[in-house]
Amino acid sequence: MSMLFPEEQELIDRIGVALTQRREKMGTAESCTGGLIAAACTSLSGSSQWFERGVVSYSNESKTELLGVPAALIGLHGSVSGEVALHMARGLLAHAPIDWALSVTGIAGPTGGSADKPIGTVWLALVHAGSPPKVWQELFPGDRHAVRTATLRAGLLALCEAVEDKDE
């Protein structure tokens, strides 16, 4: 039994079809979602055809060690920033046999927020070899579960739209 909502399941189905047709693979680099996006993707039977790996890089140290995010960049912008999200995705793309990398980093709460970066602040990045990266910020309302679920949905939606892009 799937723990996903029907709209999330539909997005994953569409992502799987599109990536299979393109003969491409994807991976995730997740911080605040702790692997939820990877778990959602791999809930689909046959996802090994298009899902290659997921990295949970929760600590700053893991972002540097596993994904090559410069510690100085984290120091300069903070781990919850567009710069770090982009480096997480690019680092995964550079070290894995994948075509698409989706990364997320944010503040799910209930602690950790600030005036500059309130709880619910999430940065996402989607990188495809040979295309300009997409990096964007979201501010999701609600508790920790709501922020993480909204982040999952936003990432899946952006990925689905990108892999179904008929102009490529």
Side-chain angles (χ1 to χ4, degrees):
M1 185 172 113
S2 175
M3 292 170 37
L4 298 171
F5 291 106
E7 58 268 24
E8 293 162 358
Q9 195 63 59
E10 185 207 340
L11 286 171
I12 293 163
D13 290 342
R14 288 168 56 194
I15 290 164
V17 167
L19 286 174
T20 302
Q21 286 174 344
R22 294 170 73 121
R23 293 182 174 82
E24 291 182 332
K25 291 194 177 231
M26 67 161 290
T28 60
E30 300 178 67
S31 186
C32 63
T33 46
L36 282 177
I37 299 169
C41 289
T42 57
S43 71
L44 184 65
S45 178
S47 57
S48 59
Q49 297 299 309
W50 52 271
F51 187 88
E52 206 282 334
R53 72 182 66 177
V55 173
V56 176
S57 55
Y58 207 64
S59 69
N60 290 343
E61 190 174 47
S62 68
K63 288 175 181 65
T64 298
E65 288 177 7
L66 300 174
L67 299 169
V69 179
L73 189 82
I74 296 171
L76 190 61
H77 299 285
S79 60
V80 178
S81 62
E83 293 82 1
V84 169
L86 179 59
H87 268 76
M88 288 170 65
R90 283 195 168 143
L92 184 65
L93 195 66
H95 294 98
I98 58 174
D99 306 281
W100 295 89
L102 174 64
S103 69
V104 298
T105 181
I107 305 162
T111 60
S114 68
D116 288 347
K117 296 177 186 177
I119 291 165
T121 301
V122 179
W123 280 93
L124 301 94
L126 181 61
V127 176
H128 179 248
S131 300
K134 176 181 166 92
V135 182
W136 73 105
Q137 182 183 21
E138 300 278 4
L139 183 58
F140 296 121
D143 64 7
R144 185 175 184 84
H145 176 75
V147 169
R148 288 166 41 113
T149 302
T151 302
L152 163 70
R153 274 196 202 122
L156 290 176
L157 184 60
L159 179 62
C160 188
E161 288 173 354
V163 298
E164 287 183 345
D165 184 4
K166 304 298 187 259
D167 297 333
E168 285 198 32

